[in-house]
């Protein structure tokens, strides 16, 4: 079994379609989202519809939470507020309901899925956690691996049997995870990655083999930029693609 783990799609339909096609070409049988399906990008309704048609389990991201919680919305950047204002005007009632019902965490196939940092934070960035906090967070969940998003960057944090915390960038390619360790895996971003290579970042996971395959998929971002500009969204959102 191969599962495609998607994070931070941010209403970028072209990037999502590229990631889906690539994952299916590698034999992915299902998809899981770790949040921030909407925000920033120009196609919130289409992206949610696509995930729903794929029966994609998803957790709540901070952008989904901010859509329904004005106090959080007021704390976000101008870019984020603009993206959510655009989304709010265009989301159907059914899509808003789907987003409102997203859980903060999922436990599937022996793994925990959360947007921010385990065990259940939507807002905390895992890559800003120091060693002492990481130890506490590992104690907060029972699964051997936790998949997170939110950072838009890829990182693998390992807790060894000896109690060491080891962290490293998660580079493209195939990674076999040590069976006797526990991990927090930040999978990057499909729609707005912060990696140097342009494309849609996602991770394939083979639970039975304890193997990750990290992918960055090229796609034509020009149509996305054109839609961002047509929507009147900040130009800086184009520069990130």
């Amino acid at each position: 079994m191969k599962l495609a783990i998607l994070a931070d799609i941010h209403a970028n339909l072209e990037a999502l379609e590229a990631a889906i096609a690539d994952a299916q070409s590698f034999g992915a049988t299902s998809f899981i989202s770790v949040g921030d399906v909407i925000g920033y990008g120009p196609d919130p309704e289409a992206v949610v519809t696509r995930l729903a048609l794929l029966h994609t389990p998803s957790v709540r991201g901070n952008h989904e939470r901010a859509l329904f919680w004005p106090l959080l919305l007021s704390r976000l950047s101008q870019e984020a507020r603009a993206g959510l204002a655009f989304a709010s005007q265009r989301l159907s009632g059914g899509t808003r309901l789907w987003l409102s019902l997203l859980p903060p965490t999922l436990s599937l196939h022996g793994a925990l899925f959360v947007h921010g940092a385990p065990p259940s934070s939507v807002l905390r960035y895992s890559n800003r956690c120091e060693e002492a906090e990481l130890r506490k967070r590992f104690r907060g969940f029972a699964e051997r691996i936790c998949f997170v998003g939110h950072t838009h960057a890829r990182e693998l944090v390992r807790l060894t049997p000896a109690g060491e915390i080891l962290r490293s960038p998660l580079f493209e390619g195939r990674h076999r995870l040590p069976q006797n360790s526990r991990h927090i895996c930040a999978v990057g971003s499909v729609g707005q990655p912060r990696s140097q290579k342009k494309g849609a970042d996602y991770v394939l996971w083979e639970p039975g083999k304890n193997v990750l395959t990290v992918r960055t998929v090229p796609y034509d971002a020009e149509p996305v930029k054109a839609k961002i500009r047509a929507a009147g969204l900040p130009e800086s959102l184009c520069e990130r693609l």
Side-chain angles (χ1 to χ4, degrees):
M1 177 174 60
K2 290 184 180 180
L3 306 173
I5 316 300
L6 312 173
D8 297 276
I9 301 165
H10 282 302
N12 185 336
L13 182 62
E14 283 78 3
L16 175 60
E17 292 290 5
I20 290 171
D22 188 77
Q24 290 176 335
S25 75
F26 275 84
T29 54
S30 60
F31 297 81
I32 299 174
S33 162
V34 288
D36 275 7
V37 172
I38 62 169
Y40 295 140
D43 284 307
E45 181 76 19
V47 163
V48 174
T49 298
R50 188 72 170 100
L51 293 177
L53 288 173
L54 285 170
H55 305 288
T56 304
S58 182
V59 300
R60 180 190 311 142
N62 60 302
H63 282 247
E64 284 84 41
R65 188 173 181 184
L67 183 68
F68 301 102
W69 190 24
L71 180 60
L72 176 57
L73 180 64
S74 68
R75 298 176 182 172
L76 298 182
S77 68
Q78 186 271 334
E79 293 170 325
R81 294 196 303 272
L84 288 174
F86 175 81
S88 184
Q89 296 168 4
R90 286 157 178 80
L91 293 172
S92 67
T95 295
R96 291 179 70 92
L97 178 62
W98 188 90
L99 292 168
S100 72
L101 294 175
L102 294 177
T105 68
L106 288 169
S107 183
L108 297 168
H109 309 288
L112 178 68
F113 300 86
V114 59
H115 181 64
S120 60
S121 177
V122 173
L123 302 176
R124 182 63 170 144
Y125 290 91
S126 62
N127 60 354
R128 297 181 185 175
C129 297
E130 300 294 339
E131 184 171 317
E133 182 179 350
L134 285 169
R135 292 182 187 281
K136 181 178 179 180
R137 292 190 176 277
F138 270 111
R139 291 195 295 270
F141 67 100
E143 293 86 352
R144 291 188 55 253
I145 185 167
C146 175
F147 291 99
V148 302
H150 197 34
T151 67
H152 291 225
R154 298 183 303 223
E155 183 185 46
L156 188 65
V157 181
R158 177 184 170 197
L159 176 65
T160 72
E164 294 178 283
I165 296 285
L166 305 175
R167 62 196 315 167
S168 62
L170 193 57
F171 296 110
E172 279 188 85
R174 187 176 171 88
H175 305 260
R176 184 174 297 278
L177 304 182
Q179 291 279 0
N180 58 356
S181 296
R182 300 177 68 213
H183 300 84
I184 298 172
C185 177
V187 301
S189 167
V190 171
Q192 283 214 341
R194 301 292 187 263
S195 53
Q196 291 183 340
K197 184 177 178 181
K198 299 294 185 181
D201 288 351
Y202 80 96
V203 168
L204 281 167
W205 178 46
E206 299 174 69
K209 298 180 180 179
N210 217 33
V211 168
L212 301 178
T213 302
V214 179
R215 299 284 297 160
T216 298
V217 187
Y219 69 97
D220 183 5
E222 292 308 313
V224 189
K225 295 178 182 179
K227 286 187 283 187
I228 287 172
R229 293 180 179 122
L233 292 167
E235 179 65 22
S236 56
L237 296 174
C238 296
E239 296 166 2
R240 292 177 177 177
L241 300 178

